[in-house]
Amino acid sequence: MPKPIRFWLVSFSCVLLLGGCAGNDRETYSQQSFQQMVNAGFLSPQIRSLDLLPIMMVQIYLETPQLFIQGDGEPLMFHINGQVEADVLGGMVTDKLPVQITGVAQLKYAPEDQAIYFDQIDFMEARIDLKVALFKTIIIDRFQQALLTELANMPLIALENTPELASVLEVLAKKGEVQFESRDGNLVVEAVPERK
């Protein structure tokens, strides 16, 4: 191999190694690249049952969430489309109705589950095109509370479907608590050493 090419390859390898070492306590993802991981890691559609007895049982079908990075230090905004069907007092009274859920949340890594979840969810809006007046007047608050619980327990990313991200998080978790933060228009995932 000619000397200039060998020198270039060795130099390039050193740059890659040094670059990897310098940033190994954090990874940075653009909104688009992180959304691609959500697309790969979210098991869609998620079918969830909300128990609003004695009045109603609700089944909700959720499509893949869309995430939006906001300002520095701000939580992520999310938007989820789906469908709802309600069984009121033992009789199905609704066809599947569209639902749009919009809110803001932090993210949480759960190594024991090999998953990333929504955390500290704050609803902005859960809109349902409901024609059932009973649902609108009596159930909507309970529906939102039950939905909040379901969203918090629903894996946003199952890491078995995103092996690269799983490897990054495993390495970071050995160095401290894994945290997600919006910074400079990107999502920064970093290890924060635990205080002794």
Side-chain angles (χ1 to χ4, degrees), residues 30-46 62-68 79-80 116 118 155-163 165:
S30 68
Q31 179 174 305
Q32 182 180 4
S33 64
F34 195 75
Q35 182 64 54
Q36 287 170 346
M37 286 185 272
V38 174
N39 295 346
F42 186 79
L43 306 176
S44 178
Q46 282 279 328
L62 298 175
E63 297 171 15
T64 303
Q66 301 298 307
L67 299 183
F68 304 96
H79 180 88
I80 308 173
I116 294 173
F118 284 127
L156 177 65
I157 299 177
L159 293 171
E160 63 186 21
N161 297 331
T162 56
L165 180 59

Side-chain angles (χ1 to χ4, degrees), residues 79-189:
H79 180 88
I80 308 173
N81 288 324
Q83 294 181 312
V84 169
E85 59 184 19
D87 183 349
V88 178
L89 300 175
M92 188 67 68
V93 297
T94 67
D95 295 325
K96 286 184 182 172
L97 300 170
V99 60
Q100 295 179 328
I101 304 157
T102 306
V104 293
Q106 303 287 350
L107 298 180
K108 174 179 70 175
Y109 169 52
E112 64 281 2
D113 297 339
Q114 278 299 286
I116 294 173
Y117 292 90
F118 284 127
D119 191 33
Q120 301 174 41
I121 300 170
D122 185 13
F123 271 111
M124 292 174 65
E125 190 173 30
R127 288 190 299 153
I128 308 172
D129 183 16
L130 286 166
K131 300 171 179 70
V132 184
L134 178 70
F135 195 108
K136 288 181 180 177
T137 55
I138 298 174
I139 299 299
I140 197 68
D141 287 340
R142 284 183 61 195
F143 171 78
Q144 291 208 7
Q145 282 302 314
L147 183 57
L148 180 67
T149 301
E150 288 299 322
L151 290 179
N153 292 322
M154 174 184 74
L156 177 65
I157 299 177
L159 293 171
E160 63 186 21
N161 297 331
T162 56
E164 278 186 37
L165 180 59
S167 299
V168 167
L169 293 173
E170 188 178 347
V171 169
L172 291 176
K174 291 175 181 172
K175 301 177 181 190
E177 182 185 353
V178 175
Q179 294 186 352
F180 300 81
E181 186 176 329
S182 299
R183 201 178 300 156
D184 298 325
N186 295 305
L187 184 66
V188 176
V189 186

